[in-house]
Each structure stands twice: as C-alpha cells, then as structure tokens.
Amino acid sequence: MEQITAEDFQVIDNCLMIRLPAEIDHYGAGYICENADRYLLLEEVRNVVFDFENTRFMDSSGIGIIMGRYRKIACFGGRVYAIHVGKQIERILNLSGLNKIVEVL
C-alpha cells in the first residue's frame, strides 16, 4: 500500500500542496496532519490544496484532516482547495458537507 512521504508536501508561492495517497485512513492521518501543520507554522502559507489524483478511498480520518487544516488556515483568511477529485471522493465531500468549505477545482 502506498504511503504519503515528505515529497508529497510542497509549498508553491503561498499554497501548501498536499498529494494524498490512494487510501486515506487513520493509519496515515497523523503523519499527514503533523506535516501539514508544520508547513502551516513554518512557511508563509495562505492556502492549502489537497490533490486527490491518486486517492480512491477516504474514511472519516480524511474528513478530519481536511477540517483540521481548514480551521487552522481560515483563521488567517486562507482557503482550502481540492483538485483531481474523482466521483467517489466528490461524493464523500458532498455527504460530509465539506463541499461548503472546500472549493473543488
């Protein structure tokens, strides 16, 4: 099973880009949160972009990852975006209500 690595986090201009793994579950959620939060604190990041290109499965841990980063970045007027969203992930975003706070590009 593919896991997320440090190379999956990249700051471009003022955006933190996070390339998510094929499966987002509680197993990797802690690593994703810790690294994302580190970038939010240490870099001049105003927006977070989650790249779902390889993601086929996401449970409530994934919802928590997105909500947590939204709460942190929104305090500073930042936004959260999702790119390369497949039908399954789009459905989860809609059912969870995340589509109201995450702009899908």
Side-chain angles (χ1 to χ4, degrees):
M1 174 172 39
E2 171 203 8
Q3 292 300 313
I4 193 165
T5 65
E7 291 79 37
D8 294 314
F9 295 86
Q10 187 175 16
V11 177
I12 301 172
D13 294 327
N14 65 346
C15 294
L16 171 59
M17 306 284 292
I18 304 172
R19 185 177 42 227
L20 296 169
E23 295 184 10
I24 305 170
D25 56 20
H26 73 281
Y27 182 74
Y31 181 81
I32 295 169
C33 291
E34 288 172 18
N35 280 286
D37 290 349
R38 185 169 44 85
Y39 279 100
L40 294 177
L41 289 172
L42 299 177
E43 303 285 337
E44 291 185 28
V45 173
R46 295 215 15 108
N47 300 299
V48 178
V49 179
F50 290 99
D51 184 349
F52 287 94
E53 184 173 18
N54 300 321
T55 307
R56 304 295 169 252
F57 172 81
M58 180 172 79
D59 67 8
S60 61
S61 299
I63 294 168
I65 291 168
I66 296 168
M67 282 297 300
R69 288 349 91 207
Y70 168 78
R71 286 186 184 130
K72 290 181 187 232
I73 204 79
C75 292
F76 305 105
R79 305 215 35 199
V80 176
Y81 300 92
I83 60 173
H84 303 123
V85 176
K87 290 190 182 293
Q88 179 73 11
I89 300 302
E90 183 177 19
R91 184 170 185 258
I92 292 168
L93 294 176
N94 290 335
L95 289 172
S96 66
L98 285 176
N99 62 325
K100 295 175 181 153
I101 62 169
V102 175
E103 187 173 338
V104 177
L105 302 178

